[in-house]
Amino acid sequence: MSHFQPELRQRAEELVALYPRSRSAMLPLLHLAQEQDGYLSEAGIEEVAGLTGTTSADVRGTASFYDMFHLEPVGKYVVGVCTNIACLLAGGEEFLEHASQTLGCAVGATSEDGLFTLEETECLADCDKAPCVQVNHRYVRTTTPESFDTLVGDLRKGVHDADIPSHGTLIRVKRNGGLRASHDEIREQRATSSAARAKRAEGNS
Amino acid sequence: MATLDAPRIVSSRAEFEDSYTLARYLETGGYEGLRKTLTMFPEAVAAEVDAASLLGRGGAGFPAGRKWSMLRKSPVSYLVVNGDESEPATFKDHFLVERDPHQLVEGVIIAAYALQVAQAFIYIRGEFALGLERVQQAVNDAYAHGALGSKIFDSDFSLDIVVHPGAGAYICGEETALIEGLEGKRGFPRIKPPFFPAVTGLYGEPTVVNNVETMSNLPWIITNGGAAFAALGVGKSTGTRLFALAGRVKNPGVYEVEMVKNTFRDIIYDPRLGGGITDDRALKAFIPGGVSAPWFGPDMLDLALGQDEVGAQGSMLGSGSIVVLDETSCPVRAAWRITKFFSRESCGQCTPCREGSGWIERAMYRLEHGGGREEDLALVLDLCDNIAPGLGWPPQQTTICVLGSSIPSSVHSAIQMFRDDFIAHVELGRCPHD
């Protein structure tokens, strides 16, 4: 019995099929697992291990290297505030402190209602709109404490449920066709075409 | 005043709201470079890129044509595009993947044709949720348009592109770590030699890894010719380049300017570009090429934006990021925060980097936040010297990858340029800028 919901399981299998080796699908599959469960649950990790032909220890070992994967449950909204150099110069540290007060949780912790997890992030590459804030990896571009508070209020009311999905950066990243030609087919074509090119080049000289 | 008469090569569609759509792309010359490519011999395509002398736009500035020529002959080889942009204050690739994903995809197809590669991967930083959506959509559209897949535009060339999401690791911008991420492993940079993935890369097969901006230049180069590209800029630094300007300036943003023809003063002060320092304050220092680069003071403002020009002065253009510190910015805090970044992002394989970054970070923390001693300056410099012996430029390497040797740049610069600021911190027992 698959831990992934049927639709997700199908997406996962399609993802694996895209790569020459199934283990290469590890990172996208972990994103999918997180999309369903909100974090990497034991069952989600097992499922990814099965799909990639690895073990759950191997999956956990890989996942723990990457900042975006949560090995413990997190809030519905993960709020990331950058304090790296460009944001530091724009008051990022003070902004993070403000966010902590507004959300009612310490940096790295989850609010009591389970709605928000606050993270201090490294550079999010949006430095012309510093200090940079992401909610579930969507840029929200609230650069003042006031606009941040408004955003938090809206998030509580569910105003952003459509544009900020709860978890899952790949929720709208779907390959919708052009399934890849088999490697044998491509190799055969390549051999034919390079032979043809060699012939043409010979004709030219 | 800045010289802005060069054509915009990679940001030509920036003013269109719908610049990321196939319809807009086709209206503005999209996929014409690919059509022309398919009428040429692959070697001729590579020759155009050689003639353009396009330097890689990722950070190292290695000539793209030379990288391609090293690709080991093998029945299977791969093209991997590095879109894992994570160098602090660098946001040009973020701009390209969100604003012009089709240009990137077309560039990738052109490169794949030149290299005769049948499988390409575009590795996009995981935090770019919208960028991932846009690039995947562009790939989907390209399939539907016949620009990807079997027998592209009825030629005998076929290619598949897989969009691969990263998951939050600065080190995966290092090309061998990126390949590890693509193989579904922890992002540990690989031991060199072999120095180039062109010899042994993805799955042990020959692999070319190129940056997003490098790829995005290709449609223009093929359409207009390598010579037209090489006519822009001066000497080794040809064409235009995207610069991401951030920090204490009035108009931070991504600007495409001709190489060498403009100076740091132009990009920071020209009203059409940076517009000067925030609140018209005085400039204290600037970081010219990402936080791995040594800093410059106001005396370097008239230096030209060229790879050799900046290199000769002991720093680098690197990732194309420029960060401005003004007279109110604390250099100790800036250098501490940069070290904290490296300490967090060190993959932990090599002792000098893993231990050194944390040790320097702790010393810098107490210097900035009170509790620092004057001896800490010598300690920090000694630790830096352990990571990059001699503290010269380019730095000596004691680690598997260049993350380690990038750690000393900021602290070494800050101590050399602003020793008085450090002493003031020690004497006051706190940051004088607080």
Side-chain angles (χ1 to χ4, degrees):
Chain A
M1 187 59 194
S2 162
H3 171 70
F4 283 0
Q5 301 296 320
E7 197 203 338
L8 200 70
R9 175 73 198 189
Q10 196 194 327
R11 274 188 70 193
E13 285 171 7
E14 284 169 9
L15 260 171
V16 171
L18 285 178
Y19 292 91
R21 297 189 188 177
S22 53
R23 183 169 180 146
S24 276
M26 181 78 80
L27 301 188
L29 288 175
L30 288 168
H31 281 296
L32 289 194
Q34 202 156 268
E35 190 169 311
Q36 176 178 296
D37 298 337
Y39 76 109
L40 296 180
S41 66
E42 202 62 57
I45 286 173
E46 286 285 348
E47 182 106 2
V48 172
L51 282 156
T52 52
T54 56
T55 63
S56 55
D58 210 342
V59 174
R60 188 177 287 274
T62 305
S64 63
F65 187 82
Y66 295 92
D67 286 348
M68 286 175 74
F69 297 134
H70 305 290
L71 295 164
E72 301 288 333
V74 288
K76 181 179 176 192
Y77 298 111
V78 177
V79 178
V81 177
C82 175
T83 58
N84 207 312
I85 185 71
C87 291
L88 180 88
L89 295 169
E93 289 182 314
E94 294 77 9
F95 200 96
L96 180 66
E97 177 63 38
H98 173 83
S100 170
Q101 275 169 13
T102 299
L103 299 175
C105 64
V107 179
T110 300
S111 62
E112 264 177 39
D113 57 8
L115 215 47
F116 299 103
T117 296
L118 179 62
E119 289 184 339
E120 179 188 21
T121 74
E122 295 302 344
C123 182
L124 296 167
D126 205 38
C127 318
D128 50 347
K129 296 158 197 91
C132 181
V133 182
Q134 278 192 336
V135 177
N136 293 345
H137 302 293
R138 266 69 185 178
Y139 295 103
V140 290
R141 300 188 172 138
T142 53
T143 55
T144 62
E146 297 73 31
S147 62
F148 180 79
D149 292 354
T150 308
L151 172 83
V152 171
D154 288 348
L155 285 168
R156 284 188 200 282
K157 284 183 239 154
V159 173
H160 292 290
D161 281 2
D163 47 315
I164 304 180
S166 64
H167 309 293
T169 45
L170 300 187
I171 199 157
R172 289 193 284 255
V173 182
K174 285 179 190 147
R175 171 106 162 208
N176 70 355
L179 279 174
R180 104 190 141 85
S182 83
H183 267 240
D184 291 341
E185 192 186 320
I186 288 176
R187 211 168 300 167
E188 201 176 298
Q189 275 180 25
R190 204 45 43 87
T192 322
S193 68
S194 76
R197 266 201 319 281
K199 213 179 230 177
R200 265 189 288 163
E202 228 167 74
N204 286 348
S205 62
Chain B
M1 289 290 270
T3 309
L4 301 178
D5 51 0
R8 280 196 291 160
I9 292 176
V10 292
S11 64
S12 64
R13 296 175 191 86
E15 61 266 27
F16 296 113
E17 271 297 304
D18 61 351
S19 61
Y20 58 92
T21 62
L22 178 65
R24 173 64 66 192
Y25 194 61
L26 292 175
E27 239 169 70
T28 48
Y31 291 108
E32 290 306 316
L34 174 60
R35 287 186 188 277
K36 185 172 171 188
T37 296
L38 295 170
T39 67
M40 300 161 72
F41 282 121
E43 299 75 16
V45 177
E48 285 301 327
V49 176
D50 249 342
S53 66
L54 173 66
L55 300 177
R57 300 303 201 231
F62 196 81
R66 239 175 80 205
K67 215 179 216 184
W68 291 7
S69 68
M70 292 187 303
L71 193 70
R72 178 166 60 85
K73 288 261 177 288
S74 161
V76 184
S77 50
Y78 299 101
L79 171 63
V80 175
V81 179
N82 187 344
D84 196 43
E85 181 175 64
S86 310
E87 180 76 15
T90 308
F91 48 107
K92 61 174 184 82
D93 294 341
H94 176 206
F95 167 85
L96 288 172
V97 298
E98 272 189 16
R99 301 299 304 162
D100 213 334
H102 274 288
Q103 177 175 256
L104 168 63
V105 169
E106 184 179 358
V108 175
I109 306 169
I110 291 170
Y113 180 79
L115 295 162
Q116 287 294 294
V117 159
Q119 176 80 62
F121 297 90
I122 305 181
Y123 192 116
I124 305 279
R125 184 174 174 187
E127 288 90 340
F128 293 168
L130 183 61
L132 277 159
E133 286 170 22
R134 294 242 166 114
V135 175
Q136 183 65 66
Q137 188 60 47
V139 165
N140 291 348
D141 291 347
Y143 268 108
H145 187 62
L148 254 184
S150 275
K151 303 201 179 302
I152 292 171
F153 290 152
D154 297 321
S155 69
D156 58 11
F157 180 64
S158 303
L159 171 70
D160 180 58
I161 296 181
V162 170
V163 180
H164 186 85
Y170 168 68
I171 193 58
C172 285
E174 200 270 357
E175 60 185 5
T176 62
L178 184 109
I179 288 171
E180 291 287 304
L182 193 48
E183 290 186 359
K185 301 174 188 159
R186 295 166 73 87
F188 284 154
R190 291 180 179 173
I191 295 185
K192 289 94 181 162
F195 289 99
F196 294 99
V199 178
T200 304
L202 185 64
Y203 313 127
E205 300 292 350
T207 304
V208 164
V209 184
N210 278 141
N211 167 263
V212 161
E213 187 185 348
T214 312
M215 291 288 102
S216 298
N217 273 292
L218 297 181
W220 193 95
I221 289 175
I222 297 304
T223 305
N224 298 278
F229 189 87
L232 299 167
V234 177
K236 207 170 115 186
S237 299
T238 58
T240 61
R241 192 164 172 182
L242 288 180
F243 288 95
L245 182 63
R248 307 293 294 167
V249 285
K250 287 180 187 168
N251 314 320
V254 176
Y255 300 104
E256 180 172 358
V257 300
E258 190 175 354
M259 296 276 267
V260 193
K261 297 285 175 66
N262 291 288
T263 64
F264 286 103
R265 186 187 301 282
D266 290 331
I267 201 160
I268 293 170
Y269 285 96
D270 191 293
R272 296 164 295 174
L273 303 170
I277 312 295
T278 310
D279 301 330
D280 293 315
R281 292 184 196 278
L283 179 136
K284 184 166 190 137
F286 60 98
I287 314 175
V291 299
S292 304
W295 301 2
F296 281 151
D299 56 316
M300 288 291 174
L301 274 172
D302 293 310
L303 189 62
L305 295 164
Q307 186 156 304
D308 288 349
E309 288 76 359
V310 176
Q313 297 301 324
S315 190
M316 62 174 177
L317 270 194
S319 62
S321 143
I322 299 169
V323 179
V324 175
L325 277 67
D326 74 18
E327 56 191 321
T328 66
S329 314
C330 176
V332 183
R333 182 175 299 201
W336 159 66
R337 185 60 185 83
I338 291 168
T339 314
K340 179 176 161 184
F341 163 77
F342 283 121
S343 172
R344 276 167 75 155
E345 297 296 336
S346 171
C347 82
Q349 284 190 104
C350 311
T351 312
C353 174
R354 181 187 65 240
E355 302 301 324
S357 60
W359 198 348
I360 298 171
E361 193 267 321
R362 289 191 294 279
M364 290 295 291
Y365 179 89
R366 62 176 179 259
L367 280 163
E368 166 60 16
H369 293 88
R373 302 156 301 191
E374 204 173 330
E375 308 91 88
D376 283 333
L377 295 183
L379 171 69
V380 164
L381 289 177
D382 185 47
L383 290 166
C384 286
D385 188 75
N386 269 285
I387 303 175
L391 294 178
W393 189 261
Q396 295 266 2
Q397 208 175 315
T398 56
T399 48
I400 291 171
C401 81
V402 293
L403 190 149
S405 46
S406 300
I407 298 166
S409 295
S410 57
V411 271
H412 185 219
S413 293
I415 293 175
Q416 270 188 320
M417 294 166 72
F418 304 110
R419 182 173 280 270
D420 290 350
D421 276 87
F422 280 84
I423 301 299
H425 279 74
V426 171
E427 285 174 353
L428 270 174
R430 63 174 174 83
C431 177
H433 297 273
D434 270 345

